[in-house]
Structures are given as C-alpha cells and as structure tokens.
Amino acid sequence: MALLSAALALGVLVTLTSYLMFRHQLSSHTEALLDAYARQEQREIELRLGGLLTQAESLATNTVTANALADSRGRETYLDPLLRSQKLGVVMADITVVDYRGRPVASTQANAPDVSRDASFLAMMSQGEATLRVDAVGEPTARLLLAMPIRYRLTNNVEGGVILRIPLA
C-alpha cells in the first residue's frame, strides 16, 4: 500500500511538473509570436507612412506642381491626371494640392477638402514650413493632417500646399 501511495504521489508530482513546464513553454512561445507580429505590423505602418510622406514631398517639391498652380491649363493637362493616378498605400488617405488661399486645385479624391480656414494650412502658409496635426473634428475617425508648402522656384515664395490626410483608424 505504501508503495502504491508513493508511486501515485510521484505520478502526480511528475504530471504537475510537466504541466507547469508545458504551460511556461506555451506562454513564452505565444509571447514571442505576438512580439514578432507587433514588430511586423509596426514595420508595415512605418513603410506605408513613409511612402505617403515621400509622395506628398515629391509633389510639393515638383516644379510641375508649382507651375500648375499658376497655369489653369497645366492643372487640367498635368496635375489632375498626375494626382488621379496616384496609388496611396493607406486606404482612405488622400492628397490634395491647394492654392495659396487653401482652395483645392487637384486631388486624389472627388470631393477635395477646402482648407482655407484650417489652422495647419494657415500656419504652413505664414511660416513657410510643413505642419502636422491630428484632425478629428466632424470626422468619424481621427486623421493625421500634413500640410507641405509648394514653393515657386524662381522666387522661393509659397504658392500653395500639398495636403496629406491619413486616417488613423
């Protein structure tokens, strides 16, 4: 009887030890997988945002964009098709080229935003530097709003801007 009790106790001890080790191993493995997935998602977000920023910067520094602000025929001929053909890496993101008053000139979307009273746009126009803010007013989701100046190359004056809006949800 004592031998049976000892064997039973030893069996319970081995089973409990095995269970605890298996549980620890499973928890560690799950944590490592979640960490790897989070790093992959972070990298994908960084790449998509970097791509959008590069597109917006390219449009803001492109002489065709600056010239099209002054030339209505150039807008129709070059700028509209250029923006309409842009493939943005984030769903529901949009890029709009606006004149010095904040009125849309060309956009990647049909209903381009009027930013004439937007604080970011006004700050960008007065400072001549890019501005960034989170915009959630009147929107179902928050958006990151980047305003980049378009400079006319001969005078270096700010003639308008590139507005990049990125949904955060």
Side-chain angles (χ1 to χ4, degrees):
M1 188 72 159
L3 189 59
L4 185 60
S5 294
L8 185 60
L10 184 61
V12 167
L13 183 63
V14 168
T15 302
L16 185 60
T17 303
S18 295
Y19 169 75
L20 291 175
M21 289 180 70
F22 175 74
R23 182 173 174 224
H24 174 71
Q25 187 69 18
L26 185 62
S27 294
S28 297
H29 182 68
T30 302
E31 192 175 303
L33 282 174
L34 288 173
D35 185 52
Y37 180 73
R39 279 187 269 122
Q40 178 186 357
E41 288 296 313
Q42 176 187 1
R43 184 69 181 137
E44 184 175 338
I45 290 169
E46 288 173 356
L47 287 172
R48 286 177 184 240
L49 286 177
L52 285 172
L53 292 174
T54 300
Q55 277 181 298
E57 184 178 20
S58 174
L59 284 169
T61 58
N62 191 328
T63 56
V64 171
T65 307
N67 289 337
L69 282 175
D71 177 19
S72 60
R73 182 168 281 156
R75 284 182 217 161
E76 295 167 3
T77 307
Y78 302 110
L79 201 53
D80 283 334
L82 175 66
L83 281 173
R84 297 263 186 242
S85 69
Q86 295 295 308
K87 302 293 184 229
L88 305 179
V90 175
V91 177
M92 301 298 292
D94 60 76
I95 296 177
T96 302
V97 174
V98 297
D99 64 12
Y100 69 96
R101 292 183 209 144
R103 294 179 305 191
V105 172
S107 182
T108 58
Q109 68 170 1
N111 298 326
D114 182 339
V115 294
S116 58
R117 296 181 184 191
D118 183 83
S120 261
F121 171 74
L122 295 172
M124 182 269 303
M125 286 301 292
S126 67
Q127 298 166 4
E129 298 292 327
T131 59
L132 179 69
R133 73 177 176 90
V134 175
D135 176 30
V137 180
E139 297 285 330
T141 61
R143 286 181 177 262
L144 192 62
L145 190 136
L146 172 68
M148 300 179 83
I150 297 174
R151 296 182 182 282
Y152 187 63
R153 67 180 174 89
L154 297 177
T155 62
N156 205 30
N157 290 337
V158 177
E159 299 294 328
V162 172
I163 308 300
L164 170 62
R165 298 186 314 161
I166 305 167
L168 297 177

